[in-house]
Amino acid sequence: MIKFAKDYFGVMAIGMCLLVGYVLLTDVFGVLSAFLFPSIFKVLKLFPQYIDQLMTGLLSSLFLLITAYVMAVITAITLGTIVGLKSGLRKNVTPYIYAFSAIPVPLLTPYAINLLPTFQAASIFLIWLAAFWVIFGTTIGAVMSIDKRYLETAAILEMSKAEKLYKIILPAASPSILVGCSIALTLSFMMLSVAEMFGARSGMAYFVQYYSDFAKFDVVMLGFFFTSAVLVLIMYVFDTIKHRILHWTINN
């Protein structure tokens, strides 16, 4: 516990400063509108009342997020590695990658809802697509930038293609790939919020949208705090996994 406090003292200090700043602007000086920015103490008192709705929404959101994100990681890294290794293939598909990846994913929401059989399938597709392009692009770039000396060493050692892939290519490319995965996870969370505002019946973003329609901004603020806490926890877990994978790098 002491080690944790030392490691994250700066994070906790900034968080306390933001909290104190919010209290000063609302409860003390009244600079912010009490209607739009309710007291933090009033918001926290609502937590027991809405805990069931928040947890139901959390489970619904996590199912969509995890399903789509895992699919994106698997497909993007697989295809990105293939394209990155094959210069001829890369030359032919790169213009199409630029063209399709430039289309903002939220604009595809009406098509996904109308073409796919369920809202759940449409949501998973949109979140998958948002994460896919980021991981796909970073994987191609990471594989292309591998030092040729690594591959020459693998050839000298007469490694098989599978050994070269898992012992040379992917480890060498993994730092850049995981940076893309981190960015994609944040984008997936944002796309989850967009997707849940179109036809959802549960979810963290749906919770916020539902109560904002009734102008209950104290409950909306509770949803914001809860969603932010969940995102911070997810990113912390991801960073822990990333550091374990990249334990051999200088920054770990």
Side-chain angles (χ1 to χ4, degrees):
M1 186 66 182
I2 296 176
K3 183 180 183 301
F4 179 86
K6 288 181 179 179
D7 292 342
Y8 292 94
F9 175 77
V11 175
M12 292 186 290
I14 293 173
M16 287 300 298
C17 290
L18 292 173
L19 181 60
V20 170
Y22 184 85
V23 172
L24 290 174
L25 291 173
T26 53
D27 295 336
V28 179
F29 299 112
V31 175
L32 299 177
S33 167
F35 178 67
L36 293 175
F37 300 96
S39 168
I40 185 68
F41 305 106
K42 179 181 177 182
V43 172
L44 292 177
K45 287 180 181 178
L46 295 172
F47 187 74
Q49 181 181 346
Y50 292 94
I51 180 63
D52 290 339
Q53 290 184 49
L54 289 170
M55 294 308 297
T56 300
L58 173 62
L59 293 176
S60 175
S61 295
L62 285 181
F63 173 78
L64 297 176
L65 181 68
I66 294 174
T67 302
Y69 184 75
V70 170
M71 289 172 56
V73 169
I74 294 172
T75 54
I77 292 179
T78 301
L79 294 175
T81 302
I82 294 172
V83 174
L85 290 173
K86 305 292 185 181
S87 59
L89 176 62
R90 186 168 63 249
K91 180 180 178 181
N92 290 319
V93 302
T94 294
Y96 297 99
I97 294 173
Y98 290 153
F100 290 120
S101 63
I103 301 173
V105 176
L107 294 183
L108 299 176
T109 300
Y111 293 95
I113 292 175
N114 284 283
L115 294 176
L116 294 171
T118 64
F119 166 77
Q120 189 177 81
S123 299
I124 290 174
F125 170 76
L126 292 170
I127 299 167
W128 168 82
L129 193 61
F132 173 82
W133 287 122
V134 177
I135 303 173
F136 184 53
T138 54
T139 301
I140 294 174
V143 172
M144 287 173 56
S145 63
I146 293 175
D147 195 325
K148 286 185 178 180
R149 288 175 295 181
Y150 295 156
L151 302 180
E152 291 170 356
T153 302
I156 293 172
L157 296 174
E158 297 182 348
M159 286 184 170
S160 65
K161 290 183 178 181
E163 284 182 313
K164 184 167 66 174
L165 176 63
Y166 291 108
K167 292 184 178 181
I168 302 294
I169 296 172
L170 290 179
S174 58
S176 296
I177 293 175
L178 287 172
V179 169
C181 289
S182 179
I183 297 171
L185 182 56
T186 304
L187 289 176
S188 296
F189 208 87
M190 295 170 62
M191 195 61 225
L192 170 69
S193 299
V194 173
E196 286 183 342
M197 291 182 180
F198 294 92
R201 291 295 177 265
S202 64
M204 292 184 290
Y206 171 78
F207 180 91
V208 172
Q209 178 66 39
Y210 179 81
Y211 285 104
S212 66
D213 289 342
F214 293 97
K216 297 185 68 172
F217 290 105
D218 50 351
V219 185
V220 170
M221 191 64 67
L222 175 65
F224 283 150
F225 288 147
F226 183 78
T227 302
S228 298
V230 169
L231 178 57
V232 169
L233 180 59
I234 290 174
M235 294 306 298
Y236 173 77
V237 172
F238 179 85
D239 285 341
T240 301
I241 295 172
K242 183 175 71 174
H243 290 157
R244 288 180 180 271
I245 294 174
L246 302 178
H247 62 89
W248 48 270
T249 60
I250 192 171
N251 290 324
N252 289 285

